[in-house]
Amino acid sequence: MDWSKTKTIFIITFLILDIFLGYQFIQKKNSSQLDVILEATIEEQLEADGITYVDLPKEITKSTYVSGKSKTFTEDEVKKLTNQQVEAANETVLQAHFIQPVPLQDPKDGYRLTEFLKQNIIAGDQYTFWKYDEHLQALIYFQQYDGKTIYKNVSSMLLIYVNDQNEMVGYEQTLLVDLEKNEKKQEILPAIKALETLYKRNYLKPGDRVTKIDLGYYALVQFTASQVLTPTWHVVVNGKTDYYVNAFEGQVISDENKVLE
């Protein structure tokens, strides 16, 4: 056996192997750097267009679907309500009038009514103030679950009506009960991806300011006894325009509960 030739073959073989491994290492490194560059590019594009935003939530990485059903308000519950004349439009919608109107300092400060809701509304501690609607002359509250808001759901809302003297005169209420999380948790899209979706679909315009972004729930199908709530990013632009982005699949949800591709 010619050991000189064998030695040369071994040297060439190991040299080729080293080159191959080095190439693989460089490819992985470049791929990793490319991922960072691509994410930074989104931020750079927003910055170039003068689009600014608040600190984005980063601690939430997984979530799950939530199921529930509409509550049927019982006579026993209604009897416990004071200063109210109550009637139900149907089994799941509660309508009430305050016998003595309740003074309200400023309808836009609906968040100050926390104690009033606890004492006068069934499950009142489950609602959070959304806004005052001047057209309806109503304070609008959305139900919360696990610290997250259930957005614009006809089955989990509280509307308190106000007269011209800034007095609360009555309300309509719906409520979801038996809310349960799906056992399987899934990865959600980061908040920056929700902004990217809005930006690429031209919902975010040059000079815009994202003033709020929170994770909550949205139900695409609402007029049913049972519902499935989907984790959803709620994005507020310029302090007045609301957008909703499916946190699992990334679609934009319109106010008409339609998914916009």
Side-chain angles (χ1 to χ4, degrees):
M1 179 180 292
D2 190 336
W3 290 107
S4 177
K5 289 184 178 180
T6 303
K7 181 179 178 181
T8 301
I9 292 173
F10 272 114
I11 291 173
I12 294 173
T13 301
F14 281 113
L15 180 61
I16 293 172
L17 180 60
D18 286 342
I19 293 173
F20 175 76
L21 292 176
Y23 174 77
Q24 290 287 91
F25 174 77
I26 292 172
Q27 285 289 95
K28 289 182 178 180
K29 183 177 180 181
N30 288 342
S31 177
S32 177
Q33 290 176 340
L34 180 59
D35 290 340
V36 173
I37 290 172
L38 287 175
E39 186 167 346
T41 300
I42 299 166
E43 298 172 349
E44 288 174 355
Q45 289 179 3
L46 294 176
E47 183 178 0
D49 274 340
I51 300 172
T52 58
Y53 45 88
V54 296
D55 291 338
L56 303 180
K58 296 180 180 179
E59 69 278 4
I60 307 173
T61 58
K62 290 186 177 182
S63 190
T64 181
Y65 290 104
V66 173
S67 61
K69 64 180 182 180
S70 294
K71 175 179 175 56
T72 299
F73 295 96
T74 67
E75 290 186 10
D76 288 340
E77 290 173 316
V78 169
K79 288 178 181 179
K80 296 177 182 178
L81 299 173
T82 59
N83 187 36
Q84 299 182 34
Q85 181 180 350
V86 177
E87 60 183 47
N90 55 51
E91 292 184 344
T92 58
V93 179
L94 188 65
Q95 293 182 328
H97 300 279
F98 295 119
I99 298 172
Q100 293 293 328
V102 182
L104 182 64
Q105 186 173 4
D106 186 349
K108 295 181 180 178
D109 290 341
Y111 61 87
R112 297 179 182 271
L113 298 179
T114 302
E115 287 303 317
F116 176 83
L117 297 185
K118 289 180 180 179
Q119 297 174 15
N120 296 276
I121 303 295
I122 296 171
D125 59 346
Q126 294 189 33
Y127 295 93
T128 184
F129 181 61
W130 182 251
K131 69 175 183 178
Y132 175 70
D133 189 305
E134 294 183 357
H135 177 69
L136 295 175
Q137 282 191 261
L139 299 158
I140 299 177
Y141 293 82
F142 291 163
Q143 186 179 349
Q144 285 191 319
Y145 171 70
D146 195 27
K148 298 179 178 63
T149 302
I150 303 173
Y151 301 117
K152 294 194 171 185
N153 193 314
V154 295
S155 298
S156 58
M157 295 177 64
L158 172 66
L159 278 70
I160 301 179
Y161 294 102
V162 180
N163 63 19
D164 294 334
Q165 288 74 46
N166 277 355
E167 296 174 323
M168 294 182 287
V169 294
Y171 65 88
E172 293 183 5
Q173 180 185 8
T174 55
L175 183 71
L176 288 174
V177 294
D178 297 337
L179 292 166
E180 292 184 356
K181 294 181 179 180
N182 189 297
E183 293 182 359
K184 184 180 179 181
K185 284 192 172 185
Q186 302 182 43
E187 297 283 344
I188 64 170
L189 297 174
I192 189 65
K193 290 295 183 182
L195 298 190
E196 178 187 6
T197 297
L198 295 175
Y199 177 71
K200 288 185 174 179
R201 287 164 174 73
N202 294 320
Y203 292 109
L204 283 179
K205 307 293 185 182
D208 278 346
R209 167 76 174 168
V210 175
T211 51
K212 186 177 181 181
I213 180 165
D214 289 312
L215 186 68
Y217 295 103
Y218 210 115
L220 289 177
V221 181
Q222 299 185 9
F223 296 93
T224 57
S226 299
Q227 294 191 18
V228 176
L229 309 177
T230 303
T232 300
W233 287 112
H234 169 229
V235 182
V236 182
V237 179
N238 300 326
K240 60 182 181 180
T241 307
D242 299 292
Y243 295 104
Y244 304 90
V245 180
N246 186 315
F248 281 155
E249 301 177 2
Q251 305 102 324
V252 180
I253 305 170
S254 73
D255 283 341
E256 292 78 23
N257 300 340
K258 297 178 181 179
V259 172
L260 305 179
E261 297 297 338

